[in-house]
Amino acid sequence: MASTESLSQSFSALSIKPAASVSHKETSSPAEWKEALKSNPDAPGDFELIKTLVFKPKTAKNATPVPLVVIAREETETNSGALGKKLNLKELRLASEDLLKEFFNLDKNSLSPLALDENTFPRVVTVVDSSIANSSSVFALHAQSSSSTIFLSGKDIVSYLRHLEKEDLKVHEIDFEALKSETSAPAPAAQKAAPEKKKKEDAKIEGAIEIAIGVKKEVDFAAWYTNVLLKADMLDYYSVSGCYILKPWSYTIWESIQEWFNARIKEMGVENAYFPMFVSSKVLEREKDHIEGFSPEVAWVTRAGQSDLEEPIAIRPTSETAMYPYYSKWIKSHRDLPLKLNQWNSVVRWEFKSPQPFLRTREFLWQEGHTAHLTKAEAEQEVLEILDLYRRVYEELLAVPVIPGIKSEKEKFAGGLYTTTIEGFIPTSGRGIQAATSHCLGQNFSRPEMFNIMVEDPNDPTGRGKVYVWQNSWGLSTRTIGVMVMVHGDNQGLVLPPRVAGIQAVVVPCGITAKATDEERKRINDACLDLEKTLKKAGVKAKADLRDGYTPGYKFNDWEQKGVPLRLEIGPNDLKKEQTMSVRRDNGAKAPLPLADIQTAVPKLLETIQSDMFTRAKEIYDSRVKLVTDWKDFVPTLDAKCVVAMPWCEEEACEDDIKERSARGSEQTDERAPSAGAKSLAIPFDQSRWPKIISGKTCCPACGRLAKKYTLFGRSY
Amino acid sequence: MASTESLSQSFSALSIKPAASVSHKETSSPAEWKEALKSNPDAPGDFELIKTLVFKPKTAKNATPVPLVVIAREETETNSGALGKKLNLKELRLASEDLLKEFFNLDKNSLSPLALDENTFPRVVTVVDSSIANSSSVFALHAQSSSSTIFLSGKDIVSYLRHLEKEDLKVHEIDFEALKSETSAPAPAAQKAAPEKKKKEDAKIEGAIEIAIGVKKEVDFAAWYTNVLLKADMLDYYSVSGCYILKPWSYTIWESIQEWFNARIKEMGVENAYFPMFVSSKVLEREKDHIEGFSPEVAWVTRAGQSDLEEPIAIRPTSETAMYPYYSKWIKSHRDLPLKLNQWNSVVRWEFKSPQPFLRTREFLWQEGHTAHLTKAEAEQEVLEILDLYRRVYEELLAVPVIPGIKSEKEKFAGGLYTTTIEGFIPTSGRGIQAATSHCLGQNFSRPEMFNIMVEDPNDPTGRGKVYVWQNSWGLSTRTIGVMVMVHGDNQGLVLPPRVAGIQAVVVPCGITAKATDEERKRINDACLDLEKTLKKAGVKAKADLRDGYTPGYKFNDWEQKGVPLRLEIGPNDLKKEQTMSVRRDNGAKAPLPLADIQTAVPKLLETIQSDMFTRAKEIYDSRVKLVTDWKDFVPTLDAKCVVAMPWCEEEACEDDIKERSARGSEQTDERAPSAGAKSLAIPFDQSRWPKIISGKTCCPACGRLAKKYTLFGRSY
């Protein structure tokens, strides 16, 4: 963006004289902005807002995108589908905050034509609404910040933009009115080629921009997802790219998971501890296979204050190699076994792929358990016990179905013996997602040339035998929250399963008209407070929303966006009937509930919601796992947003081959979903849902070798 | 340390032929080492251990220390006091693990004469026991690891050391027997000069090395402290200097504190959240005063994988500047106030002073609360509410008395308006310690040129007024645990207040003789298990210690070291009398308790222990706060390990002056206690315990200006 000094130089060179220049509160929507200006005494009495939209066209995977900047009057309808067609740019999407930051170092609320300068103009395509130039209006533009505004004439805006032009770099003036009629004319060939684009347009939900989600889940899933997170107040973007702020509304879900999981692992004899976040490079690099999996993503501290450190120090990407030297020191006898430690912390993996909140972030919260056992049997039993706890976190708390199984050799944890996993599924994208993993490390880390974690064998009669301990490690992260949002959220926003909701039931006073007396108002408000109290006593996380100055409709929308499982309305009529009108967030079902036994009815209803949410999600997942026995069905099954269950040979070469062939098979590439080729998701423990594999006969449809077990393949996160 | 290759080169050059070379389990004491060797078939039948001790002499503050390495036969008494005198080295102390790491890259269990090589030898003073050279014994030396041993003759050891000598760098051969008689001869002048050194020797508790703490709290407090932490299994050293592992026995205390504090702040409407650990340099450096306080200690990430980052990114030393840009974004109206967020996380302050577990570490765990309010009054009320919760964490959970007050301008939080504090006291060192702080930031961070956190004033009738929000921040760290250990621990080890103990009562079977039948043994063990069960039902964290192969005496010591508040013994006699013998950890009091009402008696006794521990600690603290009205008493009061309460002018210049004069006043300097000069600790809220200050009359004893309030001064951590 242009600095203030260079701006004023340009202005005076171009004889641009702003009508006014004002400071105000930061604003995050056009409505707020307008309001801030209207109440400002230094602003002109009449003005129009300028909107500045940035779109990112579809770009080849590793190419630098060339954003499209559209400058228009607030009122102008800027149809991005038609615009894209005219400019020959594919699949225009509103740019992410990250991209805005990267290109303009501004957020979307601070954008304006003035974000374009000698540096940025050549890197974008600029479109200006042709009706600006000759308008007699005064236009409001942000001056590099959402809290300051400058007022310019349309002529000045265009002349500012024109002065940035170079020989082959022009501003496109577009008449959006004309564009509209151009595209409404029949153009069958073009339409056929772009059904996807047409759908993208449909993604905008009319009139819902301000308080609902704005785009449809089924149409632009990625935009829907971030919108839900922002509007439900779960998350905010952060000034360090790839990192996000977990706001209380999402953090409380993590606290519920922590509480539940902590109680259960403590019953198993696991103790919590805390190891430092730093790992010396020597220690980190001890296990070759293991570190290979992480080294490109390790963040290094090299300086403290003004001093360079003698040796760079890593921030843990996971703690195996940081912890196990101490396991070696602490475990001296079989009496010290089992050793079962867990820590709740954050780890850092500096991914260079595009980040996605909760699913792929550079720092994330998780727990990592690390245990050591005398026998393989004991270690293996624990691996499965933990995996089952993970399954229950998803299924019983988050109402998200998962399939437990084992990872292929290619997909297992680097350096471990084998990895068990629970695999989730996102129906909207048709992609699998690794929900949590529990690894049996075997003796790979304990053997003498590694960490040498060894005891004398208590079962050896000679007293000379040694045992290298059997180790496990297992982790569950805040990815849980992202999966839950993707599975349950809808076009009204978040849908929370009752067991993890920060508020389970919101009580909203209704039917208070402008003519209502203070007494009537008070009677209804008091009834709401009473209901809150009664429910809290019954163990329900309830809240009466008595905010003044908001309509019931506003409140309904607000709590729907935030996913509160149950709304209870109380109006004059309900009071008369001694009831409350309940509205379920998950399916919209409305039913009056008598206040008399509300303390049992609401908890029961919440449990019903919880179980209905799970059942629905499970039915969908089950219906999307498709048996494939012929390779020709493989890619079409993926393209139909399904997971493939296929008898598989379990050969790594075959897996590589499948990935390549299934990537080529599909036209679609989406940079936010990194792997368009299918990989193996899990070899499910429960093989009984498919026809028996006949040993020596059933073949792998991908390579023709003999199949071992049914394996799930899918595109995945 | 010398590499294996260079060692074998030296050996062959010197014609040294090891008698044997063996690998074994890592060992952490001479007894274990000996045992490991005796059971090894490849070790010689007869051998002596070599002990390698490293001492650090007193060194000027910023000078590099020159460690003293003493190599002696296991049996040789190496009197460090006498040795220091002979070599003219002051106050020899056993070197810390950090120093061993720095000089030799080895821990104390792996040290040996072979740690000396071309690099390390010139940096230390080396002393060798003269009786080694001509001994006919075979000696066991660690070969750069506590899990491998090499056997050499005395002659070979000395010849290895001699080959490292240079013109002016010789090995000192010392006859320790002769040294003993030299120093036992009367030397009154020398003795008078070194009473401290004599006392240091007394610090070793005879015969207690293996299972109790080994040094007396009153004599070598610093060594006592780390020994307690290690032996109580609270903590271990870590491969990154200044960072420590919190083991379950200490982490569980932190969990108790978290649970208690979380419940109370949630009642106050505070919500938990999580902000990323990274802060961009631009954001970090926004508040000048604030960052000045932290910048020398900030750790910077500059690289990810193999890529240098475009801009270095800081790891948070605290989160004010990381969070407040978002407060500015989120707070748009007075309806968004108060905003009260808290996070439990770790922060990094890369201190270059010597670290001390829990008290000064490069990464530490804490909570940081950050709130924003519409009015000053509301903010100020919260500051005090939080401070009182902190007081209660110390006094009610940890049984540690603290004094609440306000910090002087010099000692307040950089960038804030004022800082309230609770000040603790460590009787053994006579030093004050800042236990927790709650800051009123005023409008310093919200003002327009800072983070511009502003709302329209709802109380301004014109509707045009603006309010910059009032902010607080407050933090409590794992320092709590260190203070608790220092206050309550004794020469048997840790003493835990019942409310934070991971195990509150341990049940130990006693009186099972070798002649006991299996049935008798089972009867007693079953009674112990029954008691554990009964107590658990009554809400007591109880554990029956039925470990086989350990004597009751061993178990007593073990649990005493770990500080378990109550021991319950059950022997045949107790069974007959239907009682258990209770032994309190805090005062050793023994009393039989009838089993009949044990479920009420034990919780009651635990509460008594809790309250007795607090009362005792409070009496000591109170008795050590001394009123000083004449400057000449100031330094002697500090030297008597007391805190000064003095009418004070509150001038910064006076505080600087006091610090300087009180530092000069004292001979003692201790690098682990960084500030030997006194600073102001707090201006206590409760001024009533001292005579009234008469306005216009009572003077500051330090500078003679008029005094404002009684202020606590002391040496401090």
Side-chain angles (χ1 to χ4, degrees):
Chain A
M1 66 181 189
S3 71
T4 319
E5 302 84 65
S6 73
L7 253 190
S8 53
Q9 278 172 21
S10 305
F11 279 12
S12 77
L14 300 166
S15 308
I16 292 176
K17 285 198 197 68
S21 204
V22 303
S23 288
H24 46 83
K25 183 81 197 131
E26 281 190 16
T27 57
S28 67
S29 72
E32 265 186 48
W33 183 19
K34 197 175 256 175
E35 208 175 311
L37 295 178
K38 291 230 154 133
S39 66
N40 193 305
D42 301 327
D46 203 28
F47 58 86
E48 269 187 64
L49 301 183
I50 285 289
K51 66 177 169 191
T52 308
L53 304 170
V54 180
F55 295 90
K56 186 180 150 311
K58 184 177 160 185
T59 313
K61 224 168 183 185
N62 296 309
T64 308
V66 179
L68 172 68
V69 178
V70 176
I71 294 156
R73 298 165 86 144
E74 191 197 6
E75 309 287 289
T76 304
E77 254 184 67
T78 53
N79 181 313
S80 63
L83 189 59
K85 235 178 288 174
K86 191 170 179 86
L87 298 173
N88 202 18
L89 294 170
K90 279 200 229 165
E91 290 186 27
L92 293 179
R93 285 185 183 180
L94 278 175
S96 67
E97 288 282 339
D98 284 337
L99 186 136
L100 298 184
K101 228 185 143 43
E102 188 188 331
F103 272 83
F104 305 111
N105 203 18
L106 286 172
D107 65 21
K108 78 174 195 312
N109 302 317
S110 309
L111 271 186
S112 89
L114 306 178
L116 296 172
D117 62 12
E118 284 76 11
N119 293 319
T120 54
F121 184 78
R123 298 167 65 206
V124 303
V125 174
T126 304
V127 164
V128 66
D129 177 354
S130 63
S131 74
I132 290 179
N134 302 314
S135 164
S136 61
S137 293
V138 177
F139 292 100
L141 290 70
H142 280 305
Q144 319 298 44
S145 148
S146 70
S147 64
S148 76
T149 299
I150 197 166
F151 292 88
L152 296 180
S153 71
K155 206 180 93 297
D156 283 348
I157 293 173
V158 174
S159 99
Y160 176 78
L161 292 172
R162 292 272 181 225
H163 102 282
L164 297 169
E165 291 186 324
K166 296 213 171 120
E167 208 158 311
D168 53 347
L169 275 167
K170 301 288 182 198
V171 173
H172 301 256
E173 264 193 52
I174 302 255
D175 179 343
F176 283 95
E177 274 307 304
L179 187 67
K180 221 156 104 185
S181 44
E182 272 171 42
T183 48
S184 62
Q191 271 198 355
K192 204 176 164 197
E196 195 59 21
K197 282 169 218 162
K198 177 76 184 64
K199 258 169 93 191
K200 283 272 132 101
E201 278 311 292
D202 290 344
K204 281 193 192 153
I205 301 170
E206 278 311 313
I209 306 290
E210 273 313 290
I211 46 167
I213 298 312
V215 287
K216 284 186 189 155
K217 186 178 184 184
E218 305 76 20
V219 183
D220 188 349
F221 186 45
W224 170 89
Y225 176 64
T226 44
N227 275 15
V228 168
L229 297 179
L230 294 172
K231 301 232 171 180
D233 215 17
M234 295 183 94
L235 174 127
D236 207 341
Y237 283 84
Y238 187 71
S239 53
V240 174
S241 156
C243 295
Y244 303 89
I245 301 164
L246 301 197
K247 298 184 78 173
W249 197 246
S250 62
Y251 193 79
T252 190
I253 299 172
W254 188 235
E255 288 184 303
S256 300
I257 293 173
Q258 286 187 306
E259 197 187 334
W260 188 93
F261 190 72
N262 250 334
R264 273 145 200 94
I265 58 173
K266 283 181 184 180
E267 273 170 26
M268 289 173 63
V270 177
E271 297 179 296
N272 285 334
Y274 188 78
F275 280 71
M277 70 158 83
F278 297 115
V279 189
S280 74
S281 52
K282 208 181 98 194
V283 165
L284 186 70
E285 284 153 11
R286 197 119 151 221
E287 219 289 6
K288 283 267 155 53
D289 291 340
H290 178 68
I291 190 55
E292 250 186 46
F294 293 106
S295 63
E297 299 169 1
V298 170
W300 293 95
V301 175
T302 63
R303 191 150 63 79
Q306 294 306 316
S307 321
D308 286 329
L309 300 185
E310 265 182 48
E311 278 216 327
I313 294 174
I315 303 179
R316 61 178 160 225
T318 178
S319 302
E320 277 75 7
T321 57
M323 291 168 81
Y324 298 165
Y326 302 94
Y327 279 43
S328 172
K329 183 177 165 196
W330 298 336
I331 297 172
K332 289 176 184 161
S333 143
H334 67 93
R335 291 191 185 109
D336 300 322
L337 294 174
L339 177 63
K340 301 182 180 188
L341 298 183
N342 175 62
Q343 52 179 342
W344 296 93
N345 59 21
S346 73
V347 288
V348 171
R349 299 179 188 172
W350 205 267
E351 306 228 23
F352 291 94
K353 294 180 205 157
S354 6
Q356 196 160 17
F358 295 114
L359 301 198
R360 193 186 310 119
T361 63
R362 285 178 170 171
E363 182 192 6
F364 60 86
L365 300 178
W366 75 345
Q367 60 65 223
E368 49 176 332
H370 296 267
T371 63
H373 306 263
L374 185 63
T375 66
K376 188 180 186 198
E378 202 190 300
E380 294 198 302
Q381 187 189 333
E382 187 200 75
V383 165
L384 293 182
E385 272 173 25
I386 292 292
L387 191 75
D388 200 54
L389 290 182
Y390 289 159
R391 180 191 64 75
R392 291 176 61 194
V393 165
Y394 274 90
E395 299 201 335
E396 296 178 13
L397 298 186
L398 303 172
V400 169
V402 290
I403 296 181
I406 195 161
K407 285 280 184 190
S408 71
E409 276 301 299
K410 185 179 164 72
E411 293 294 328
K412 78 173 186 188
F413 183 62
L417 183 60
Y418 62 85
T419 290
T420 68
T421 179
I422 47 173
E423 289 294 312
F425 176 69
I426 308 298
T428 315
S429 62
R431 289 176 190 268
I433 185 158
Q434 176 178 303
T437 45
S438 176
H439 315 291
C440 182
L441 305 177
Q443 295 169 313
N444 289 2
F445 288 82
S446 68
R447 55 187 209 274
E449 68 278 21
M450 289 298 314
F451 293 98
N452 193 33
I453 314 177
M454 176 259 292
V455 297
E456 280 167 25
D457 185 351
N459 303 317
D460 180 356
T462 73
R464 308 281 293 270
K466 290 168 178 177
V467 178
Y468 292 92
V469 303
W470 291 84
Q471 291 180 275
N472 297 334
S473 73
W474 27 272
L476 179 82
S477 78
T478 40
R479 165 172 279 204
T480 40
I481 299 171
V483 175
M484 183 207 73
V485 172
M486 288 186 161
V487 167
H488 295 303
D490 64 20
N491 288 327
Q492 289 308 107
L494 186 62
V495 181
L496 284 172
R499 291 198 193 143
V500 296
I503 298 173
Q504 296 171 312
V506 64
V507 185
V508 181
C510 296
I512 304 178
T513 60
K515 289 182 287 183
T517 64
D518 280 358
E519 200 197 333
E520 282 166 331
R521 191 184 303 270
K522 186 172 178 322
R523 226 158 49 88
I524 289 177
N525 281 349
D526 285 354
C528 290
L529 282 176
D530 280 351
L531 182 51
E532 176 191 292
K533 223 165 120 185
T534 309
L535 290 174
K536 277 188 171 167
K537 258 194 217 152
V540 175
K541 291 176 189 159
K543 182 189 173 74
D545 180 0
L546 304 185
R547 284 179 291 173
D548 254 351
Y550 294 93
T551 63
Y554 178 93
K555 291 177 185 178
F556 294 175
N557 272 319
D558 196 27
W559 295 112
E560 274 172 10
Q561 264 181 206
K562 299 190 80 175
V564 169
L566 195 62
R567 181 171 83 231
L568 299 172
E569 306 171 5
I570 295 189
N573 216 24
D574 298 309
L575 272 193
K576 250 177 256 162
K577 295 187 187 165
E578 297 189 356
Q579 67 174 33
T580 171
M581 183 58 71
S582 71
V583 184
R584 286 171 60 161
R585 176 66 182 86
D586 64 320
N587 63 5
K590 269 188 137 172
L593 294 178
L595 288 172
D597 67 342
I598 198 77
Q599 68 276 22
T600 54
V602 166
K604 218 176 114 189
L605 184 51
L606 290 172
E607 277 305 294
T608 306
I609 295 174
Q610 178 86 31
S611 111
D612 286 357
M613 286 177 71
F614 176 69
T615 307
R616 264 196 310 275
K618 177 118 175 61
E619 279 167 9
I620 295 174
Y621 193 172
D622 284 347
S623 74
R624 299 283 196 90
V625 177
K626 301 280 192 196
L627 178 61
V628 167
T629 52
D630 188 336
W631 174 257
K632 79 170 166 30
D633 299 330
F634 191 97
V635 173
T637 303
L638 299 181
D639 288 345
K641 297 192 175 174
C642 291
V643 167
V644 166
M646 177 180 94
W648 187 45
C649 62
E650 298 184 15
E651 297 290 333
E652 193 158 334
C654 178
E655 179 158 9
D656 290 338
D657 190 50
I658 288 172
K659 188 168 185 177
E660 218 189 301
R661 285 160 74 194
S662 56
R664 271 182 295 148
S666 158
E667 286 293 296
Q668 206 175 4
T669 53
D670 176 351
E671 64 168 65
R672 298 203 223 187
S675 118
K679 57 186 191 186
S680 74
L681 305 174
I683 305 167
F685 292 129
D686 177 8
Q687 295 270 317
S688 69
R689 49 201 277 187
W690 303 290
K692 249 200 154 58
I693 288 181
I694 298 158
S695 173
K697 196 165 166 205
T698 311
C699 289
C700 167
C703 69
R705 269 172 288 210
L706 286 173
K708 291 184 174 162
K709 285 196 170 159
Y710 283 95
T711 301
L712 301 180
F713 283 86
R715 301 204 173 101
S716 74
Y717 285 87
Chain B
M1 65 181 187
S3 70
T4 319
E5 302 84 65
S6 72
L7 254 191
S8 54
Q9 279 171 18
S10 304
F11 279 12
S12 76
L14 299 166
S15 308
I16 292 176
K17 286 196 197 69
S21 206
V22 302
S23 289
H24 45 82
K25 184 78 197 138
E26 281 191 15
T27 58
S28 67
S29 72
E32 263 185 49
W33 184 20
K34 198 176 258 175
E35 210 174 310
L37 296 178
K38 289 232 156 133
S39 66
N40 193 304
D42 301 327
D46 204 28
F47 57 86
E48 272 187 62
L49 301 182
I50 285 290
K51 66 176 168 192
T52 307
L53 304 170
V54 181
F55 296 91
K56 187 181 151 308
K58 183 177 159 181
T59 313
K61 228 171 179 182
N62 297 312
T64 308
V66 179
L68 172 67
V69 178
V70 176
I71 294 155
R73 298 163 82 146
E74 191 197 4
E75 308 287 287
T76 304
E77 255 183 65
T78 53
N79 180 312
S80 64
L83 189 60
K85 234 181 288 172
K86 187 165 182 92
L87 298 173
N88 203 18
L89 295 169
K90 281 201 230 167
E91 290 186 25
L92 293 179
R93 284 187 183 180
L94 278 176
S96 67
E97 288 280 340
D98 285 336
L99 187 135
L100 297 184
K101 230 188 138 43
E102 189 187 332
F103 272 82
F104 304 111
N105 202 17
L106 286 173
D107 66 20
K108 77 172 193 316
N109 302 318
S110 310
L111 272 185
S112 87
L114 306 178
L116 297 171
D117 61 13
E118 283 75 11
N119 293 318
T120 55
F121 184 78
R123 298 167 65 205
V124 303
V125 174
T126 306
V127 163
V128 66
D129 176 355
S130 65
S131 75
I132 289 179
N134 303 312
S135 165
S136 61
S137 293
V138 177
F139 292 101
L141 290 69
H142 280 306
Q144 318 299 43
S145 147
S146 70
S147 65
S148 74
T149 299
I150 195 166
F151 292 88
L152 296 180
S153 70
K155 206 182 93 288
D156 284 347
I157 294 174
V158 174
S159 100
Y160 175 79
L161 292 172
R162 291 278 180 220
H163 102 283
L164 297 168
E165 291 187 324
K166 295 209 173 123
E167 210 159 310
D168 53 347
L169 276 166
K170 300 289 180 196
V171 174
H172 300 257
E173 263 194 50
I174 301 256
D175 180 342
F176 284 94
E177 273 307 303
L179 187 69
K180 218 155 109 184
S181 44
E182 272 171 42
T183 47
S184 62
Q191 272 200 354
K192 206 174 161 195
E196 196 59 23
K197 282 169 221 161
K198 178 75 186 66
K199 259 168 90 194
K200 286 272 133 108
E201 280 309 293
D202 290 345
K204 283 194 192 148
I205 301 169
E206 280 308 314
I209 307 292
E210 274 312 292
I211 46 169
I213 298 312
V215 289
K216 284 184 187 157
K217 184 178 185 185
E218 305 76 19
V219 184
D220 188 348
F221 185 46
W224 170 89
Y225 176 64
T226 41
N227 276 13
V228 168
L229 297 178
L230 294 173
K231 300 231 169 181
D233 214 18
M234 295 184 93
L235 174 126
D236 207 340
Y237 284 84
Y238 188 70
S239 54
V240 174
S241 159
C243 296
Y244 303 89
I245 301 163
L246 302 197
K247 297 183 78 175
W249 197 243
S250 62
Y251 193 79
T252 188
I253 299 173
W254 188 235
E255 288 183 302
S256 301
I257 293 173
Q258 286 187 306
E259 194 186 337
W260 188 93
F261 189 72
N262 250 335
R264 275 148 198 92
I265 57 174
K266 284 182 183 179
E267 273 169 28
M268 290 172 65
V270 177
E271 296 179 297
N272 286 334
Y274 188 79
F275 280 71
M277 70 156 85
F278 297 114
V279 189
S280 75
S281 51
K282 207 181 99 195
V283 166
L284 186 71
E285 282 153 12
R286 195 116 156 224
E287 217 290 4
K288 281 268 158 50
D289 292 340
H290 179 68
I291 190 54
E292 249 185 45
F294 292 105
S295 64
E297 299 170 3
V298 171
W300 294 95
V301 175
T302 64
R303 189 150 63 79
Q306 293 306 315
S307 320
D308 286 329
L309 300 184
E310 263 183 48
E311 278 215 329
I313 294 174
I315 304 178
R316 64 182 156 221
T318 178
S319 302
E320 277 76 6
T321 56
M323 290 168 82
Y324 297 166
Y326 302 94
Y327 279 43
S328 171
K329 182 176 166 197
W330 297 335
I331 297 171
K332 290 175 183 161
S333 144
H334 67 93
R335 292 192 185 109
D336 300 322
L337 294 174
L339 178 63
K340 301 182 179 188
L341 297 184
N342 176 62
Q343 52 179 342
W344 296 94
N345 59 20
S346 73
V347 289
V348 171
R349 300 179 188 171
W350 206 267
E351 307 229 22
F352 291 95
K353 294 180 204 158
S354 7
Q356 195 158 20
F358 295 114
L359 301 197
R360 193 185 311 118
T361 62
R362 286 176 169 172
E363 180 192 6
F364 60 86
L365 300 178
W366 75 345
Q367 60 66 223
E368 48 176 333
H370 295 269
T371 63
H373 306 263
L374 185 63
T375 67
K376 188 180 188 199
E378 200 190 301
E380 293 196 303
Q381 187 188 332
E382 186 199 75
V383 165
L384 294 181
E385 273 173 23
I386 292 292
L387 193 74
D388 201 54
L389 290 183
Y390 289 159
R391 181 191 65 74
R392 292 175 62 194
V393 166
Y394 273 91
E395 299 200 337
E396 296 177 14
L397 298 187
L398 303 171
V400 169
V402 290
I403 296 181
I406 196 162
K407 284 281 183 191
S408 71
E409 276 300 302
K410 185 179 163 71
E411 294 293 329
K412 79 175 185 187
F413 183 63
L417 185 60
Y418 61 85
T419 291
T420 68
T421 178
I422 47 172
E423 289 293 313
F425 176 69
I426 308 297
T428 315
S429 61
R431 291 176 189 269
I433 185 156
Q434 177 178 304
T437 47
S438 175
H439 315 291
C440 181
L441 305 177
Q443 295 168 310
N444 289 2
F445 288 83
S446 69
R447 53 187 213 273
E449 68 277 24
M450 289 297 316
F451 293 97
N452 193 33
I453 315 177
M454 174 260 288
V455 297
E456 281 166 26
D457 185 353
N459 302 316
D460 180 356
T462 71
R464 308 280 294 267
K466 289 169 179 176
V467 179
Y468 292 92
V469 303
W470 292 84
Q471 292 180 273
N472 297 334
S473 72
W474 27 272
L476 178 83
S477 78
T478 39
R479 164 172 279 206
T480 40
I481 298 170
V483 175
M484 182 208 74
V485 172
M486 287 186 161
V487 167
H488 295 303
D490 64 20
N491 288 327
Q492 291 306 108
L494 185 63
V495 182
L496 285 171
R499 289 193 195 149
V500 295
I503 298 173
Q504 296 172 311
V506 64
V507 184
V508 181
C510 296
I512 304 178
T513 60
K515 285 181 291 183
T517 63
D518 280 359
E519 199 198 334
E520 282 166 332
R521 188 184 307 268
K522 182 168 181 329
R523 226 158 49 90
I524 290 178
N525 281 349
D526 284 353
C528 291
L529 282 176
D530 281 352
L531 182 51
E532 177 192 290
K533 221 165 122 186
T534 308
L535 290 174
K536 277 187 170 165
K537 258 193 218 152
V540 175
K541 290 176 189 158
K543 183 191 171 72
D545 179 1
L546 305 185
R547 284 179 289 175
D548 253 350
Y550 294 93
T551 64
Y554 178 93
K555 292 178 182 175
F556 294 175
N557 272 319
D558 196 29
W559 295 111
E560 275 173 10
Q561 265 182 208
K562 298 191 81 175
V564 169
L566 195 60
R567 182 172 80 233
L568 300 171
E569 305 171 6
I570 295 188
N573 215 23
D574 298 309
L575 273 193
K576 248 177 258 162
K577 294 185 187 166
E578 296 187 357
Q579 67 174 31
T580 171
M581 182 58 70
S582 71
V583 184
R584 286 171 59 163
R585 176 65 183 88
D586 66 319
N587 64 4
K590 270 187 132 163
L593 295 177
L595 288 174
D597 68 341
I598 199 75
Q599 69 275 27
T600 54
V602 166
K604 216 175 117 189
L605 184 51
L606 289 172
E607 276 306 293
T608 307
I609 294 173
Q610 179 86 30
S611 112
D612 286 358
M613 286 177 71
F614 177 69
T615 307
R616 265 196 312 273
K618 176 118 175 63
E619 279 167 9
I620 295 175
Y621 193 171
D622 285 347
S623 73
R624 299 282 196 89
V625 177
K626 300 281 193 194
L627 178 63
V628 166
T629 52
D630 189 335
W631 175 256
K632 77 168 166 38
D633 299 329
F634 191 97
V635 173
T637 302
L638 300 181
D639 288 345
K641 298 191 172 173
C642 291
V643 166
V644 166
M646 180 180 92
W648 186 45
C649 61
E650 298 184 14
E651 296 291 334
E652 193 158 333
C654 178
E655 180 159 8
D656 289 339
D657 192 48
I658 287 172
K659 188 167 185 179
E660 216 189 303
R661 286 157 77 195
S662 57
R664 269 182 295 148
S666 158
E667 287 292 298
Q668 207 175 1
T669 53
D670 176 352
E671 66 167 63
R672 297 203 222 188
S675 115
K679 58 186 191 185
S680 73
L681 305 174
I683 305 168
F685 293 129
D686 177 10
Q687 294 271 319
S688 70
R689 50 199 277 186
W690 302 290
K692 252 203 147 60
I693 288 180
I694 298 158
S695 175
K697 197 165 164 209
T698 309
C699 289
C700 168
C703 69
R705 273 173 286 212
L706 286 173
K708 292 184 174 161
K709 284 199 169 156
Y710 284 95
T711 302
L712 302 181
F713 283 87
R715 302 202 172 104
S716 72
Y717 283 89

